[in-house]
Amino acid sequence: MMTDLTGKAVVERLETIAADFAADFAAALAAHQAGRLDLAEDGYLVVLRADPRHPHANNNLAILLRAKGRLPEAVACGRRAIARLPEDAQLRNNLACALSDMDRIAEATATTRRALALSPDYADAWFNVANLLGTAQNLAGAKAAYRRALRLNPRMGAAHSNLGDVHRRLGESSVAVDCYRTAMRTQPDLPQPYVNLGETLKEQGRIHEALATFQSGLERHPDLALLHSNLLLALHYTPCAPPEVIAHAHACWNDRHARPLTPRGKRFANDRNPDRRLRVGYVSPDFRAHACAHFIEPLLRAHDRTAVELVCYATSRRHDDVTDRIKALADAWRPLAGLDDAAAAALIERDRIDILVDLAGHTADGRPLVFARKPAPVQVSWLGYPDTTGMPAIDGRLTDAVADPPGRADGWHAERLIRLPTGFLTFQPRPGVGVRDEPPALANGWVTFGSFNNAAKVTPEVVRTWSAILREVPSARLLLKSQAFGDPPTRDRYLQLFADNGVAPERIELLPPLDAVDDHLRAYDRIDIALDPFPYNGATTTCEALWMGVPVIALAGRHHVSRVGASLLTQCGLPDLIAEDEGRYRAAAVSLARDMPRLALLRRSLRGRLQASPLLDHQGFARAVEEAYRGMWRSWADGGEAAPPPSSA
């Protein structure tokens, strides 16, 4: 949301500013423009003591207070400015920005619309109303408003970038790429297009282009932690980055962004009683309909509430039925989306959290720099990010001995690895969706392989291996489903990749996402064998496939990100579906495709096997997590580091 300071021209228009305090206003404005916000605030207050309804001092003070996060005060100042100059579109537009920050979207939209009624050619107001329409899920309206802003000001790089976001949300990723590149040409120093272009290229499976984009953006914006985090995550999608290189990249991120924020010798007021009820805080953007919620919700529901008090810190504003369910499980619910990292860390410290758990790491809407400030005596990472955070400020990372075998994996982590005894995940399937009685191959006359992982994981190396499987089973088909396949140029590129590897396009079916969750699960009825991508394995997709009776072939690599499939299959007692190299991966897929009796048996038995496995033992998993928390807490309470209990081999 864009605001405008009222400045030099106002100083020169003495008909709206009394001459005896024009100098005070000019001094406050100069301090504001120089970034000396405290001095500017004092200066505006001098003017307002002389004239409490001074429109421009109120407007500028509102902008300053908004920057400081003091939103109710900003709104009050904005209203006073408008009361004095009700026909000023700029003042109304600025007020709308503060209202938007307070999530008062309808009121902000009405305020911006009034600004446009006063000044129809006000490009910044069109930009702001487009942002508000996007927040309200009116994507068609947002697209039209951004285009109107760009007709008025074609050099508005942020409008090009945000228009790209709308196209991306509509599944038009190739158009989004063009918008981001236009934004970068228009305003080369604008950081957001680098972030969004890199993410979109990654989603399209163009991982090396994504990495180059992130790296180019970092050269221009070396202090932008978000951009650097996106680079770290993207490194996991390519086999060209070995674990040692990825570990070093995370250490560099920590040195640049986190270490300067981490206090030394920090003292906490928490009661050190080693056996008392622990106050555990979970920080996540995914308390909503999201893949991670399948793993978060069962743990929260199964926690022993006599041993653990739950505080949930939501870092996303998105809200749905899953949010309501998780919110009901929490003893306290704290939204962090409107707070900067320092304020969020201060809130957590005031809450006297004993163990703070990061569920997102370097993924979207994660808040690693909150953890860098060490707001809790014991900090843990789990689930959402498939690697180290790079931060010694986080004491432990929950994993297991299959996903992170003891030895080399420990050296790749800034945290201590806490290996849970029966697996690092527990899964909550969607109830009410039954399993198809028999493999679809019996009715079709051919085997259908499939993967519902996002296209970022379907790298050229994966396409090469899957094509080899299809060549060995000439009648087989392949069904892929991903958000990226709603974009025709991306679909065409993937079909060409398979064609280049000797597989005709008619053997490949590419599906965009299905609207209903039940429709998504029913799509597994069309698959005989699921193929886990590599090096970035699936997690939710693997669990869903097994729940729907579909066996999954997984390739176990060296790194956690490429061993999640092995961990899940091990928990289900299916080690024969785990391959140690690409040759064995291909052989396992081909062998199973030729064994119809076993496919039929697996179809009938996999759900029961999953139900009897540790993956669905929510209570057992919660007890293992609580034991890990208690061990770390006791170590800290005894005056040492938050060391984990002994690892399980």
Side-chain angles (χ1 to χ4, degrees):
M1 300 286 287
M2 290 185 176
T3 56
D4 295 298
L5 286 172
T6 45
K8 183 179 179 181
V10 171
V11 177
E12 294 171 350
R13 286 202 331 265
L14 296 183
E15 70 270 18
T16 61
I17 298 181
D20 55 352
F21 51 81
D24 292 323
F25 179 83
L29 174 64
H32 197 166
Q33 292 171 329
R36 302 169 66 185
L37 299 189
D38 290 340
L39 183 61
E41 182 176 353
D42 291 342
Y44 292 135
L45 290 173
V46 168
V47 176
L48 291 171
R49 278 193 289 271
D51 180 3
R53 297 178 63 233
H54 189 289
H56 304 298
N58 271 306
N59 175 67
N60 289 8
L61 182 57
I63 294 170
L64 185 153
L65 293 169
R66 178 187 176 220
K68 289 186 171 186
R70 293 157 58 184
L71 298 176
E73 295 173 77
V75 168
C77 287
R79 293 197 189 286
R80 285 194 291 270
I82 290 171
R84 185 73 168 265
L85 290 179
E87 303 304 309
D88 191 309
Q90 180 178 311
L91 303 186
R92 291 184 181 275
N93 185 60
N94 291 349
L95 172 62
C97 294
L99 291 168
S100 174
D101 289 349
M102 297 180 73
D103 288 330
R104 292 160 66 173
I105 303 303
E107 191 177 356
T109 303
T111 302
T112 310
R113 292 288 193 191
R114 176 60 180 152
L116 288 170
L118 293 167
S119 180
D121 293 336
Y122 188 6
D124 285 1
W126 281 109
F127 173 80
N128 286 349
V129 81
N131 292 339
L132 291 162
L133 290 169
T135 300
Q137 307 304 316
N138 182 351
L139 300 185
K143 187 192 297 187
Y146 284 129
R147 287 176 173 166
R148 180 71 176 267
L150 287 168
R151 283 197 295 272
L152 295 166
N153 181 6
R155 305 296 299 171
M156 189 183 289
H160 286 292
S161 183
N162 289 10
L163 178 59
D165 293 344
V166 172
H167 284 291
R168 183 179 169 196
R169 289 167 66 185
L170 290 168
E172 301 163 352
S173 60
S174 294
V175 180
V177 165
D178 292 339
C179 291
Y180 298 139
R181 287 183 167 149
T182 300
M184 291 161 68
R185 287 193 301 270
T186 302
Q187 283 185 254
D189 291 330
L190 196 65
Q192 201 59 40
Y194 289 95
V195 174
N196 295 343
L197 174 60
E199 284 299 297
T200 307
L201 292 170
K202 185 188 77 179
E203 291 164 2
Q204 292 181 328
R206 299 159 66 180
I207 189 62
H208 295 289
E209 293 176 75
L211 288 168
T213 299
F214 291 138
Q215 191 60 54
S216 176
L218 273 177
E219 290 170 4
R220 287 182 175 272
H221 306 282
D223 296 326
L224 186 57
L226 169 64
L227 184 56
H228 204 166
S229 287
N230 288 0
L231 173 63
L232 295 182
L233 179 59
L235 287 171
H236 294 88
Y237 290 85
T238 172
C240 299
E244 298 84 356
V245 169
I246 295 176
H248 177 71
H250 284 76
C252 291
W253 183 95
N254 177 68
D255 288 342
R256 180 177 297 179
H257 307 291
R259 191 184 301 280
L261 302 173
T262 305
R264 294 184 179 181
K266 185 170 183 177
R267 295 183 178 275
F268 294 91
N270 302 58
D271 177 1
R272 287 180 177 263
N273 181 343
D275 300 313
R276 67 172 174 81
R277 187 185 189 206
L278 295 177
R279 192 165 169 82
V280 178
Y282 287 96
V283 182
S284 177
D286 302 325
F287 298 137
R288 57 187 178 88
H290 184 276
C292 286
H294 289 285
F295 306 100
I296 296 169
E297 188 175 349
L299 172 60
L300 300 186
R301 192 175 299 281
H303 264 312
D304 177 359
R305 307 308 283 273
T306 66
V308 171
E309 179 184 0
L310 298 181
V311 182
C312 289
Y313 296 94
T315 65
S316 170
R317 287 189 167 94
R318 284 171 283 190
H319 186 284
D320 54 32
D321 292 343
V322 177
T323 310
D324 291 334
R325 290 204 307 266
I326 293 177
K327 193 172 183 178
L329 297 174
D331 294 290
W333 181 269
R334 302 278 192 267
L336 297 185
L339 301 179
D340 65 23
D341 292 330
L347 171 63
I348 292 167
E349 190 164 355
R350 288 195 301 273
D351 283 342
R352 297 283 180 89
I353 296 298
D354 301 312
I355 296 180
L356 188 67
V357 187
D358 179 14
L359 301 180
H362 296 285
T363 62
D365 292 324
R367 302 292 291 271
L369 294 182
V370 170
F371 288 81
R373 290 169 164 84
K374 196 71 174 177
V378 178
Q379 300 195 141
V380 181
S381 69
W382 174 62
L383 179 64
Y385 189 66
D387 207 338
T388 180
T389 61
M391 293 188 292
I394 294 187
D395 304 284
R397 177 171 172 267
L398 302 183
T399 183
D400 62 51
V402 176
D404 286 287
R408 287 183 302 182
D410 296 271
W412 299 331
H413 287 78
E415 313 86 353
R416 297 190 184 190
L417 294 182
I418 304 169
R419 295 180 173 89
L420 302 178
T422 57
F424 78 100
L425 294 175
T426 191
F427 178 66
Q428 179 172 286
R430 182 177 176 83
V433 181
V435 179
R436 178 174 174 156
D437 292 337
E438 58 185 26
L442 291 177
N444 292 335
W446 64 80
V447 165
T448 301
F449 295 101
S451 173
F452 292 172
N453 286 273
N454 67 66
K457 299 180 180 181
V458 185
T459 65
E461 293 80 10
V462 170
V463 170
R464 183 194 66 225
T465 299
W466 289 356
S467 296
I469 293 169
L470 291 171
R471 291 197 304 270
E472 288 194 53
V473 188
S475 63
R477 311 287 175 87
L478 177 65
L479 174 62
L480 305 179
K481 183 167 74 68
S482 171
Q483 174 76 29
F485 299 142
D487 178 58
T490 299
R491 289 170 49 85
D492 292 345
R493 188 174 64 83
Y494 269 95
L495 291 174
Q496 187 60 51
L497 276 174
F498 280 101
D500 293 343
N501 283 277
V503 178
E506 56 267 24
R507 298 179 65 190
I508 310 296
E509 184 175 359
L510 304 178
L511 292 178
L514 302 172
D515 291 336
V517 174
D518 286 359
D519 290 343
H520 164 70
L521 290 177
R522 287 267 67 99
Y524 283 100
D525 293 347
R526 301 181 57 195
I527 297 175
D528 295 286
I529 302 168
L531 299 174
D532 196 22
F534 54 88
Y536 204 133
N537 293 172
T540 307
T541 51
T542 296
C543 293
E544 287 176 341
L546 296 173
W547 180 249
M548 297 304 295
V550 180
V552 181
I553 307 295
L555 173 58
R558 298 172 61 209
H559 205 191
H560 177 98
V561 72
S562 61
R563 297 187 63 84
V564 171
S567 173
L568 297 173
L569 292 171
T570 297
Q571 289 188 59
C572 295
L574 296 166
D576 56 317
L577 299 182
I578 304 168
E580 298 299 325
D581 57 47
E582 289 185 34
R584 291 186 178 92
Y585 179 91
R586 292 193 302 270
V590 171
S591 174
L592 188 55
R594 292 171 176 167
D595 191 345
M596 198 55 57
R598 186 163 186 235
L599 276 178
L601 176 62
L602 287 169
R603 200 81 186 194
R604 294 191 298 271
S605 64
L606 273 178
R607 179 168 290 191
R609 184 186 289 267
L610 191 66
Q611 288 171 323
S613 77
L615 264 175
L616 265 68
D617 180 9
H618 302 163
Q619 296 293 327
F621 181 78
R623 299 297 83 76
V625 170
E626 289 159 6
E627 183 180 347
Y629 290 166
R630 184 66 63 181
M632 299 180 76
W633 175 252
R634 285 176 176 156
S635 180
W636 180 82
D638 289 342
E641 296 181 1
S647 296
S648 300

